[in-house]
């Protein structure tokens, strides 16, 4: 899995950080920071949930990568 974030779409809600803190962090202004673009398989479920709950649809997943 490869994770791509679009900081232009991110509205700084922080849902992704709550759901998958090993993969997402936030800058001081709230915008998402991608910590791990190729997360280990045990994190995939949390990353999918983060993408689902992101209010800005700022998290894209490439499941084939
Ligand atoms: S959940 Fe989406 S909008 Fe909120 S901080 Fe994460 S990427 Fe940004």
């Amino acid at each position: 899995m490869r994770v791509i974030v679009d900081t232009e779409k991110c509205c700084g809600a922080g849902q992704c950080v709550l759901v998958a803190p090993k993969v997402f962090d936030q800058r001081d202004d709230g915008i998402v920071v991608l910590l791990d673009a190729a997360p280990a398989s045990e994190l995939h479920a949390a990353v999918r949930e983060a993408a689902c709950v992101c209010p800005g649809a700022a998290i894209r997943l490439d499941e084939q990568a």
Side-chain angles (χ1 to χ4, degrees), residues 3-4 6 8 15-16 18-19 23-24 29-30 32 35 40-41 44-47 50 54 56 59-62:
V3 184
I4 302 114
D6 185 342
E8 298 286 312
Q15 306 290 5
C16 54
L18 292 175
V19 174
V23 179
F24 304 101
D29 62 1
V32 66
L35 299 176
S41 53
H44 288 186
V47 173
C54 173
I59 302 169
R60 206 158 56 77
L61 304 180
D62 182 351

Side-chain angles (χ1 to χ4, degrees), residues 29-45:
D29 62 1
I31 300 301
V32 66
V33 175
L34 183 60
L35 299 176
D36 187 355
S41 53
E42 64 265 26
L43 297 173
H44 288 186

